[in-house]
């Protein structure tokens, strides 16, 4: 089971254990327990539980560690029950915080997502998105600024993108935007990351505005994607849910949302693995009252939706991207 899947399931288990995530990111979290006490933990995710020697090294650290892993071992369970570490395991589902088993009953968690091999080339995919959205040629230095990576990295990636890009005296540009869009929809896995699920009776548009305003106020840099963003880029159908990318985990309870299961959620928040989202979002010229993820990221999220008409909604957005109106 890959680490992304384990982390997403761990977030659901924390919700079920009534442990609130009141701040943090993929490496460290601020947890609020049911008795309203808080604790700061360093997060360590592992496909398999740590070996005895690795566990011993963790126990010697001066910082509190939350171990998130697929299954427990005797030594790991003992360390958690003795309040030496905090522990979340997926199979069996278990949440031990402060030496206390917080999960009262076993509940279903997310199913594993499709596995991919190797380190994701986020910068390469971002370059393709940037060139597909560009109004004209860019130098390597301009591309580096547009996608948030170094110029040497841009140079390296461009050598692998010759089927899609071309270079002249003015700079680099896409020679076939349609081919880039088609390739990305088949190969870009989406931003991935760790998700949390929320529910509200308000309309999706109101939820998007409320969530974006709340997250922006606390500095989490929200980007709206999925149906809600597609409805702005290429209006065709009313959105039925909202997807928000955040730089850090946010507790939306104070914004009027309730925690929910994945199936019941009307608002999905994700701290993404893809670090380029905020850079390419700046390439968007479409006027909106909420900050949007770029249209190619939005297209991928719409395609990942299981709604019966998601393919049609995606096609409308794709046509808008190619026409240059969703940029």
């Amino acid at each position: 089971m890959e680490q992304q899947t384990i982390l997403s399931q761990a977030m659901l288990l924390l919700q079920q254990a009534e442990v609130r995530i009141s701040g943090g990111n993929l490496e460290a979290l601020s947890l609020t327990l049911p008795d309203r006490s808080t604790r700061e933990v360093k997060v360590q995710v592992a496909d398999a539980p740590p070996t005895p020697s690795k566990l011993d090294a963790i126990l010697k650290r001066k910082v509190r560690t939350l171990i998130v892993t697929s299954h427990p071992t005797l030594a790991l369970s003992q360390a958690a029950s003795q309040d030496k570490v905090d522990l979340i395991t997926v199979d069996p589902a278990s949440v031990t915080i402060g030496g206390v088993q917080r999960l009262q009953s076993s509940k279903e968690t997310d199913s594993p997502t499709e596995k991919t091999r190797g380190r994701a080339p986020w910068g390469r995919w971002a370059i393709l998105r940037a060139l597909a959205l560009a109004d004209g040629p860019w130098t390597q230095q301009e591309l580096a600024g547009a996608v948030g990576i170094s110029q040497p990295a841009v140079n390296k990636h461009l050598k692998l993108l010759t089927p899609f890009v071309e270079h002249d005296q003015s700079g680099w540009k896409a020679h076939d935007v349609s081919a880039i869009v088609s390739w990305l929809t088949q190969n870009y896995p989406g931003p991935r990351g760790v998700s949390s699920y929320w529910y509200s009776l308000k309309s999706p548009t109101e939820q998007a505005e409320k969530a974006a305003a709340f997250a922006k106020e606390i500095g989490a840099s929200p980007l709206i994607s999925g149906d809600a963003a597609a409805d702005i880029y290429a209006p065709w159908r009313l959105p039925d849910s909202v997807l928000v990318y955040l730089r850090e985990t946010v507790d939306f309870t104070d914004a009027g949302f309730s925690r929910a299961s994945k199936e019941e959620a009307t608002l999905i928040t994700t701290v993404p693995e893809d670090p380029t989202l905020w850079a390419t979002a700046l390439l968007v010229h479409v006027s909106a009252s909420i900050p949007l993820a770029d249209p190619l990221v939005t297209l991928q999220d719409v395609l990942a939706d299981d709604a019966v008409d998601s393919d049609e909604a995606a096609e409308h957005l794709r046509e808008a991207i190619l026409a240059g109106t969703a940029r």
Side-chain angles (χ1 to χ4, degrees), residues 59-276:
L59 296 179
K60 291 179 180 178
R61 294 174 181 170
K62 295 182 179 180
V63 296
R64 185 77 186 184
T65 302
L66 169 63
I67 298 176
V68 181
T69 189
S70 57
H71 61 277
T73 63
L74 179 59
L76 191 55
S77 296
Q78 288 178 340
S81 65
Q82 295 169 5
D83 197 18
K84 295 179 179 179
V85 294
D86 295 324
L87 174 66
I88 301 176
T89 62
V90 174
D91 186 17
S94 175
V95 176
T96 305
I97 308 285
V100 178
Q101 169 56 250
R102 307 279 175 173
L103 201 60
Q104 299 303 317
S105 61
S106 177
K107 299 182 180 180
E108 292 184 359
T109 58
D110 291 346
S111 59
T113 57
E114 182 180 355
K115 294 183 179 181
T116 56
R117 297 179 179 179
R119 185 177 180 180
W122 302 117
R124 190 180 313 159
W125 291 325
I127 289 172
L128 284 176
R129 300 200 310 272
L131 289 173
L133 298 172
D135 295 324
W138 272 346
T139 65
Q140 287 191 15
Q141 184 175 3
E142 290 170 334
L143 270 175
V147 302
I149 62 177
S150 68
Q151 187 172 338
V154 169
N155 180 58
K156 178 181 177 181
H157 289 310
L158 285 172
K159 293 177 181 179
L160 301 173
L161 297 177
T162 51
F164 306 106
V165 302
E166 57 188 16
H167 182 262
D168 59 24
Q169 293 181 345
S170 301
W172 293 88
K173 60 184 178 180
H175 64 68
D176 188 344
V177 173
S178 178
I180 290 178
V181 174
S182 296
W183 189 89
L184 282 172
T185 57
Q186 296 175 22
N187 295 276
Y188 176 54
R192 298 179 178 169
V194 178
S195 297
S196 299
Y197 304 96
W198 304 88
Y199 180 82
S200 172
L201 292 173
K202 294 183 180 296
S203 71
T205 299
E206 290 176 305
Q207 290 185 50
E209 293 173 347
K210 183 68 174 179
F214 184 79
K216 185 177 181 179
E217 184 179 341
I218 62 176
S221 304
L223 293 175
I224 306 297
S225 186
D227 283 351
D231 186 51
I232 296 173
Y233 284 127
W236 179 71
R237 67 168 182 176
L238 292 176
D240 57 12
S241 63
V242 179
L243 173 60
V244 187
Y245 291 109
L246 303 165
R247 287 196 182 274
E248 60 184 48
T249 301
V250 173
D251 186 340
F252 282 94
T253 304
D254 291 338
F257 292 86
S258 302
R259 295 185 181 275
S261 66
K262 181 178 180 180
E263 293 73 23
E264 298 171 336
T266 57
L267 173 72
I268 302 168
T269 63
T270 299
V271 179
E273 290 183 21
D274 187 343
T276 68

